[in-house]
Amino acid sequence: TGAFLYFQEFKGFLNRLLNVIFKFSEEYKLKIKIRLKELLQEKGISQRQLSLKTNLRPATISHLCSDSVDRVYLRTLEQICDALKIGIHELIVDETD
């Protein structure tokens, strides 16, 4: 149970870190992009299919496919990466000039 508590604390830390990164990217004009739309096209998977595989709401998947994402839960990214069998580095990229 000690390892579980450590893991939960670590996930909380990563969630806070992701929110800081997104806020920082807004303030300093970094272009961090979630490539979900492109990955779904490459893999021939619809947003609806991904929603069913991940048990995420279709609206959540649709929002993550848009260019207006300013925050995201780590668990959501984990579910997407697991469903698509990809690493986080394939889902999130830095497109800063």
Side-chain angles (χ1 to χ4, degrees):
T1 60
F4 178 76
L5 290 176
Y6 175 77
F7 178 71
Q8 290 300 103
E9 288 178 20
F10 185 67
K11 277 181 66 173
F13 166 76
L14 288 178
N15 275 330
R16 290 188 300 278
L17 180 61
L18 276 173
N19 286 329
V20 167
I21 290 169
F22 277 113
K23 185 171 178 74
F24 182 84
S25 71
E26 287 177 354
E27 289 180 22
Y28 294 95
K29 306 300 179 209
L30 297 178
K31 184 66 174 159
I32 296 172
K33 182 177 180 183
I34 296 179
R35 296 187 57 242
L36 184 56
K37 185 175 182 177
E38 294 90 339
L39 289 167
L40 290 176
Q41 289 173 345
E42 288 172 15
K43 293 180 175 287
I45 299 172
S46 70
Q47 290 182 24
R48 176 86 175 129
Q49 289 170 316
L50 182 62
S51 174
L52 293 171
K53 283 179 98 169
T54 59
N55 292 318
L56 294 170
R57 295 178 320 120
T60 299
I61 301 297
S62 177
H63 177 68
L64 292 173
C65 286
S66 74
D67 288 330
S68 61
V69 178
D70 62 353
R71 68 191 73 225
V72 63
Y73 288 108
L74 180 61
R75 181 68 191 132
T76 301
L77 297 178
E78 288 174 340
Q79 288 173 273
I80 291 169
C81 288
D82 287 346
L84 297 178
K85 297 182 182 5
I86 60 171
I88 192 74
H89 64 281
E90 296 172 82
L91 182 60
I92 300 176
V93 294
D94 179 3
E95 293 188 336
T96 306
D97 292 334

